[in-house]
Amino acid sequence: MAAMTGEHRFLSRRRAVAYFLAWLVLALWLAAPAWNFSHQIKGTLTGVRDTDSEKVRKTLVDNFSSSLAFPTAVIWDAKDLPPEEGQARWQEIMGALRSAPGVSEASDAKRFLEVWPRDSWHAAFVELKATSYAEAEKLIPGLRQHLREQVKLPPDKVPHVTGGPALFMDLNLASTEALRTAEMKALPVAFVILLIVFRSFVAALLPVVVAGLGVLISLGAMCILAAYWPVTFFVPNLITMIGLGVGIDYSLIFLARYRRERELHLTTQEALHVTAKTAGHTVVTSAVMVMSGFVALLIIPLQFFHSIAVAGMLVVGCVAASTLTLLPAFILLLGPLLEWGQIISHHGTFSERTRRFYHWWARVVLSHPWRCFAAGAATLLAVAYPLTRLQVTSIQVNTLPDKAEARIGYESLSKEMGAGWLMPTIILAQHPNGDWMTGDGLKREADLVAKLRQLPNTGQVISLAETPENVSIRRARMAVLTGTDSSQNLILVVSKADPQSPTATRWLQEIQKVLNAEQAQYPGEAKYLLGGVAATTTSADEVIFKALPKVILITLCTTFVLLVYYMRALLVPLKAITLNFLCVMAAYGFQVLWFEDGWGQGLGSFIQTGGVNTIVMVVLFCTLFGLSMDYEVFILCAIRESWLDQHDMRIAVEDGLQKTAGIITSAAFIMVSVFLCFAFGSVVETQQLGIGLSFAVLIDATIIRLILAPSAMAIMGKWSWWLPGQPLPVAAKTKGDLSARAEAANAPAKTPVKPS
């Protein structure tokens, strides 16, 4: 054995120190950027190139007013103040607005309405010096700070900055705050579970440290990238959720296998060598699978999806690399200290009972494979059934925390003026020439306005065709609706419902039909383009749904090809992607029950929503398909390893289930706990992502891995490993296979389970 030690000394103490120092230096370098990630989040609302909404945005910036391109308002309620004092204070606020950095102009909203709601309520529309939503979002914190410094008011009387950029900025801030709160909960919870699993303080701490460093480095790297590339608020949440969940799982699998090899009386070096060949191979395979799920997001032509894809691949790669390099280095450097702080011997009664339970369960499943498979499949289909009524939504105001400044201001404006006034739908009319008003142009526009007013959700239409009696209001509207190019003008359509609601989305579709009919009736005349915040999010959703079939196809094909490559089999990959697809559908079905049907109301901060966020739905599919392969690869590797020794599928499935079921259950418990810590945050989109991920992992680790996967393998038998043109796999007997020799000497003889 001593002679073999040198042969297997793949990690020297000097190299272990080098690994440790390299990760430490990298973590120290990226710690500050990771902590300041919230300041780099931008581009939550990024238009799609060559769409009408993006053309309208660019035209508004170039020829009209950025107040329409990036709608921003300041709301102030002077109730309980004397009228004279309230009016004086409002003038003070208006003066501070006009002198604020990043503000071109501030206009009292009274200039646009003939009837004002009440004298004690005030609103101003602000024109920001910005050419993109990312720039506009960056100006909001400075504007808020300037108002608080220039106008000294009690906390309950401060003005509220709201609007599109402010809403997305507050969403970013709320997401970051919820992320840090979730981290403070997730890490201790994961440590406690690991302490129960390993029964050693140091062994339980290592996975948390290794995964935490991987997450820290990924956040820092993405923060640096965010300085040059729009990054959505989903990114830090995704990095932390996936990084902690997957990273701790990888470390758990690696460390559990190492301790098992040490129990077979191998030295530290020998055990690390065998673990690297077995558990290390599983980690690499799983990481590639999870990363492949994010690759498909790159085909969606939206920049924030690209940032999500890169972030997902980066964090999975980081935690896998830290598991394969930093964790072995810790193990080698710690030596006997790895078991320091042991609370209970891992040879206790509980462990023995756990092994006996999984042994009994494996025999039950293998004795009745068809019944178990039918029961498991029926359960998944039943949970997935609510998917048939799934509704998709965009980011809405009511998904923000109640105390968010943008939400307070938005709800106040909606109550007094109407929901659609802050983010109106904008119709850009492009005429053949600049003298369109001298002929029938105004009459045709008046007819179009009349048709738009007839739509059920239309609150008000503002155009050049209407002439208010109030001269100042008429001039204000003319200034907004006409730009530097006389051949172009604007029509503003105000929605009764929240512009981001499903009702408003259907209303936008009706507006588009009216515009298409108008252009068909008068060919060669005006061309109408639909824009505004709601139109931008709607066009983004359309792009997402158009690309979704390709995303699904690429994900399925990539996963299948990789599994065929790693498993050298055809039926096993087909079984895997089928079961994983059912798992994802079940997660969607549960989200419908939890959010649309309101099952989650009353638990934490969950609210009943009109549907599942579009971005969450797509990210959930790609993420879950990769995560589901985590446990799939783990159990398949164990079954294949046993098959190569025994060449009996029933023995292989029983042995693989016994070896992996306990670890899979522990790993799933950790991952579900981590995801739930994020699900109970204050941002609905993060809640939806956390609930979907946690439920899918729970289903994956129970119904699929304990029932469907083993029963399917038992049904297929040895043909599980069939590959056209290739013989069934056989074990490669090598003198250096320390694990196989040790297990053969210590393991009891196995007998196949006879079917009943």
Side-chain angles (χ1 to χ4, degrees):
M1 184 69 71
M4 294 181 186
T5 304
E7 178 186 346
H8 298 289
R9 193 176 294 278
F10 81 108
L11 181 64
S12 65
R13 185 170 293 274
R14 178 178 296 179
R15 182 176 295 180
V17 172
Y19 284 155
F20 173 76
L21 291 177
W23 281 98
L24 180 61
V25 169
L26 195 59
L28 292 174
W29 174 47
L30 295 174
W35 181 258
N36 294 318
F37 202 159
S38 61
H39 300 293
Q40 290 293 347
I41 298 175
K42 57 187 178 182
T44 304
L45 183 68
T46 303
V48 188
R49 292 181 180 180
D50 300 325
T51 60
D52 287 355
S53 59
E54 184 63 13
K55 292 176 182 176
V56 171
R57 182 201 65 79
K58 189 175 185 305
T59 303
L60 289 174
V61 173
D62 294 341
N63 299 332
F64 292 91
S65 168
S66 65
S67 62
L68 293 175
F70 319 111
T72 303
V74 175
I75 310 301
W76 187 60
D77 197 339
K79 63 181 180 180
D80 301 330
L81 287 180
E84 297 79 7
E85 182 182 352
Q87 190 61 38
R89 285 288 192 171
W90 176 242
Q91 293 304 319
E92 188 179 351
I93 292 172
M94 289 297 298
L97 274 176
R98 293 189 176 101
S99 64
V103 173
S104 298
E105 182 57 52
S107 303
D108 197 319
K110 291 180 181 178
R111 296 175 56 197
F112 300 93
L113 285 183
E114 295 184 59
V115 179
W116 192 247
R118 55 187 172 90
D119 292 338
S120 61
W121 186 83
H122 303 272
F125 295 133
V126 180
E127 181 177 347
L128 299 175
K129 297 177 181 177
T131 59
S132 68
Y133 245 89
E135 293 179 8
E137 287 178 37
K138 277 189 169 184
L139 295 175
I140 298 301
L143 175 58
R144 288 172 172 170
Q145 182 66 26
H146 180 78
L147 285 176
R148 280 154 178 72
E149 291 176 352
Q150 297 298 315
V151 184
K152 304 299 182 182
L153 290 168
D156 61 333
K157 289 289 189 293
V158 295
H160 297 105
V161 178
T162 186
L167 287 169
F168 290 114
M169 171 59 66
D170 282 358
L171 183 63
N172 294 338
L173 295 175
S175 175
T176 303
E177 182 180 348
L179 174 64
R180 288 172 178 167
T181 303
E183 286 175 333
M184 299 302 293
K185 297 177 182 177
L187 292 176
V189 168
F191 173 74
V192 170
I193 298 172
L194 287 166
L195 191 59
I196 296 173
V197 173
F198 289 125
R199 298 173 178 84
S200 165
F201 182 86
V202 175
L205 188 61
L206 280 185
V208 177
V209 172
V210 170
L213 283 175
V215 169
L216 178 69
I217 290 169
S218 301
L219 285 172
M222 285 303 298
C223 182
I224 294 174
L225 182 62
Y228 310 97
W229 198 30
V231 174
T232 174
F233 77 93
F234 277 97
V235 166
N237 285 279
L238 186 73
I239 285 178
T240 309
M241 292 170 69
I242 301 301
L244 290 179
V246 173
I248 292 175
D249 269 16
Y250 287 167
S251 297
L252 172 63
I253 291 170
F254 192 96
L255 197 52
R257 182 61 186 247
Y258 166 78
R259 295 178 100 200
R260 198 174 94 191
E261 298 301 335
R262 288 286 286 146
E263 290 174 12
L264 297 174
H265 310 294
L266 299 183
T267 67
T268 299
Q269 283 284 351
E270 293 165 350
L272 283 174
H273 175 72
V274 174
T275 303
K277 289 174 60 179
T278 53
H281 176 74
T282 301
V283 169
V284 171
T285 305
S286 174
V288 172
M289 292 290 182
V290 178
M291 292 169 72
S292 69
F294 288 105
V295 170
L297 293 176
L298 292 173
I299 71 169
I300 301 178
L302 292 170
Q303 287 184 322
F304 58 81
F305 268 114
H306 298 169
S307 68
I308 292 172
V310 172
M313 290 186 288
L314 176 63
V315 70
V316 173
C318 277
V319 295
S322 62
T323 301
L324 298 175
T325 57
L326 183 59
L327 183 57
F330 270 129
I331 293 172
L332 185 63
L333 294 175
L334 288 172
L337 290 177
L338 180 64
E339 304 300 333
W340 181 85
Q342 196 168 80
I343 54 175
I344 302 176
S345 172
H346 54 274
H347 296 290
T349 306
F350 178 77
S351 297
E352 182 60 30
R353 287 179 179 176
T354 302
R355 282 193 289 268
R356 288 178 181 175
F357 170 77
Y358 286 123
H359 175 74
W360 168 81
W361 179 254
R363 287 180 171 266
V364 170
V365 173
L366 295 174
S367 297
H368 310 280
W370 283 105
R371 295 179 186 177
C372 291
F373 187 84
T379 302
L380 281 186
L381 291 173
V383 178
Y385 179 73
L387 171 64
T388 56
R389 46 191 170 83
L390 172 70
Q391 298 290 326
V392 295
T393 61
S394 298
I395 296 173
Q396 299 182 46
V397 176
N398 62 354
T399 64
L400 280 171
D402 295 338
K403 296 182 179 179
E405 180 177 336
R407 177 174 177 175
I408 295 173
Y410 185 89
E411 290 177 342
S412 176
L413 186 141
S414 298
K415 178 182 177 182
E416 302 293 343
M417 292 179 63
W421 263 99
L422 187 53
M423 292 185 285
T425 294
I426 302 169
I427 299 173
L428 173 64
Q430 297 178 324
H431 303 276
N433 49 62
D435 60 350
W436 63 276
M437 287 188 291
T438 58
D440 295 332
L442 279 177
K443 182 180 181 301
R444 286 196 296 270
E445 183 169 301
D447 293 340
L448 175 60
V449 168
K451 294 174 184 176
L452 293 173
R453 283 202 175 101
Q454 292 175 359
L455 297 178
N457 188 52
T458 300
Q460 189 170 353
V461 183
I462 302 172
S463 74
L464 294 176
E466 64 174 8
T467 55
E469 293 182 3
N470 189 300
V471 177
S472 62
I473 294 177
R474 188 186 311 170
R475 289 175 178 173
R477 293 185 177 184
M478 284 288 293
V480 171
L481 300 179
T482 57
T484 56
D485 185 350
S486 59
S487 66
Q488 297 179 333
N489 71 287
L490 302 178
I491 300 174
L492 306 185
V493 191
V494 179
S495 166
K496 291 180 181 177
D498 185 334
Q500 297 291 84
S501 66
T503 300
T505 300
R506 293 188 291 270
W507 172 68
L508 283 173
Q509 296 170 352
E510 294 298 321
I511 292 179
Q512 188 62 63
K513 291 179 182 178
V514 172
L515 298 180
N516 292 341
E518 184 75 11
Q519 291 177 155
Q521 184 178 356
Y522 299 104
E525 296 297 332
K527 181 180 179 181
Y528 300 100
L529 304 180
L530 198 60
V533 175
T536 300
T537 55
T538 300
S539 64
D541 288 345
E542 291 173 355
V543 169
I544 292 170
F545 284 116
K546 185 177 180 181
L548 189 56
K550 296 179 182 178
V551 171
I552 295 174
L553 182 62
I554 290 175
T555 303
L556 295 177
C557 291
T558 303
T559 304
F560 176 74
V561 170
L562 288 172
L563 273 178
V564 170
Y565 172 77
Y566 282 116
M567 293 298 153
R568 298 293 191 271
L570 189 64
L571 296 183
V572 165
L574 286 175
K575 180 267 304 180
I577 62 174
T578 301
L579 295 183
N580 287 351
F581 189 80
L582 284 175
C583 180
V584 176
M585 296 304 104
Y588 286 150
F590 186 76
Q591 282 190 316
V592 172
L593 297 174
W594 194 260
F595 291 100
E596 287 188 40
D597 295 351
W599 283 22
Q601 279 188 300
L603 296 175
S605 57
F606 296 112
I607 64 172
Q608 187 171 1
T609 62
V612 179
N613 182 271
T614 313
I615 303 174
V616 171
M617 190 183 70
V618 178
V619 172
L620 194 65
F621 179 85
C622 296
T623 305
L624 282 181
F625 222 84
L627 287 180
S628 297
M629 286 301 163
D630 187 4
Y631 301 143
E632 179 74 26
V633 169
F634 186 40
I635 192 171
L636 284 179
C637 287
I639 293 175
R640 182 181 176 86
E641 188 179 337
S642 183
W643 160 263
L644 293 176
D645 286 338
Q646 302 291 335
H647 276 267
D648 188 301
M649 183 53 71
R650 289 183 174 275
I651 292 179
V653 172
E654 179 184 343
D655 192 41
L657 192 60
Q658 274 188 269
K659 289 180 179 178
T660 61
I663 298 176
I664 286 178
T665 302
S666 302
F669 195 16
I670 292 172
M671 196 176 286
V672 169
S673 301
V674 169
F675 292 156
L676 283 179
C677 289
F678 289 87
F680 280 88
S682 57
V683 179
V684 171
E685 287 71 26
T686 305
Q687 291 178 357
Q688 292 180 347
L689 191 61
I691 287 292
L693 289 174
S694 57
F695 181 77
V697 170
L698 181 63
I699 289 291
D700 186 48
T702 53
I703 295 177
I704 291 182
R705 301 306 154 211
L706 296 182
I707 301 176
L708 287 172
S711 60
M713 297 289 285
I715 291 170
M716 293 188 295
K718 66 179 182 180
W719 296 107
S720 299
W721 312 116
W722 173 71
L723 188 65
Q726 298 292 327
L728 293 178
V730 296
K733 303 294 184 181
T734 61
K735 293 181 180 181
D737 193 347
L738 300 172
S739 178
R741 295 197 305 152
E743 290 188 19
N746 292 277
K750 299 180 177 62
T751 57
V753 178
K754 295 181 180 180
S756 57

